Amino acid sequence: QAEAFMDVVQGNYPQPEEMLARARLLGYDLTTPQVVVIFEVSPSEPEYVPGSPQAQWSKRMRDELLRAWPTSWVSSEPRRVIALLPFSRGDESPEQERDKESTLYAQLERVHARMGTHSRESRGGNSGLPPYSGGIGRAANNLQSIPQSYREAQQALEIGRRLFGDNK
């Protein structure tokens, strides 16, 4: 699954139809628009002790994203989580498009807030969450534009980290 996911976000496939079929076999519908989001632990953070709360970060982030978007495709590594979030289709006016984007951002803010809540609950007040940053790409209307959304999310994450520091 992780290999198929990276093939999708990097555009490593000979035929779009084959990739769509491969994703469908894994349970993902990539015929609807998708938004790529990336969350990454700060590069300055040390390696975490296996089993520590910090080491559980990516699993918790994955769980929260799936809770908010049950049909999303999420790939998680110890210090990085990448997700394809379904973005409802339609021939919207620019105002409706902005409303959909605002809804997406609000849902991501709730995911971030819940991550913080869980860390406080499990450690009696001190946040055991590692500092992390996120980046969001523009909506990809088809499979072939997912790699562009992935690059935009990566750029947003890097630029945001430089401008605002971690935890943004």
Side-chain angles (χ1 to χ4, degrees):
Q1 268 210 10
E3 185 186 338
F5 181 91
M6 291 313 293
D7 286 347
V8 167
V9 297
Q10 294 174 345
N12 298 336
Y13 48 83
Q15 292 297 321
E17 296 75 26
E18 285 175 28
M19 195 68 241
L20 287 171
R22 191 171 157 203
R24 206 170 16 255
L25 283 172
L26 294 169
Y28 304 103
D29 176 13
L30 299 183
T31 61
T32 62
Q34 305 286 318
V35 170
V36 178
V37 295
I38 302 173
F39 295 100
E40 199 172 78
V41 170
S42 170
S44 62
E45 278 291 285
E47 288 302 312
Y48 300 123
V49 177
S52 69
Q54 292 91 339
Q56 300 300 308
W57 170 83
S58 63
K59 181 192 181 310
R60 290 214 327 272
M61 176 59 79
R62 181 178 189 279
D63 291 348
E64 289 296 347
L65 288 167
L66 287 169
R67 181 173 152 187
W69 288 274
T71 60
S72 63
W73 192 356
V74 185
S75 171
S76 60
E77 301 161 19
R79 298 171 70 95
R80 192 169 198 236
V81 175
I82 307 169
L84 285 167
L85 307 180
F87 196 67
S88 60
R89 182 196 302 274
D91 299 319
E92 285 99 0
S93 67
E95 294 77 29
Q96 289 169 312
E97 195 69 29
R98 277 194 295 278
D99 286 349
K100 280 182 10 184
E101 286 176 8
S102 295
T103 302
L104 178 90
Y105 296 145
Q107 279 181 283
L108 285 168
E109 286 289 344
R110 281 194 295 276
V111 164
H112 181 62
R114 278 201 304 267
M115 288 287 289
T117 304
H118 288 217
S119 64
R120 281 190 296 279
E121 285 167 3
S122 56
R123 271 161 299 291
N126 73 341
S127 173
L129 261 193
Y132 68 92
S133 299
I136 307 167
R138 277 193 293 248
N141 289 317
N142 55 43
L143 177 70
Q144 294 91 319
S145 39
I146 289 174
Q148 176 66 30
S149 182
Y150 174 63
R151 285 191 296 275
E152 290 168 354
Q154 188 65 51
Q155 288 167 347
L157 180 130
E158 289 164 8
I159 291 167
R161 190 178 270 153
R162 278 202 296 272
L163 291 177
F164 306 112
D166 282 305
N167 268 342
K168 302 287 183 210

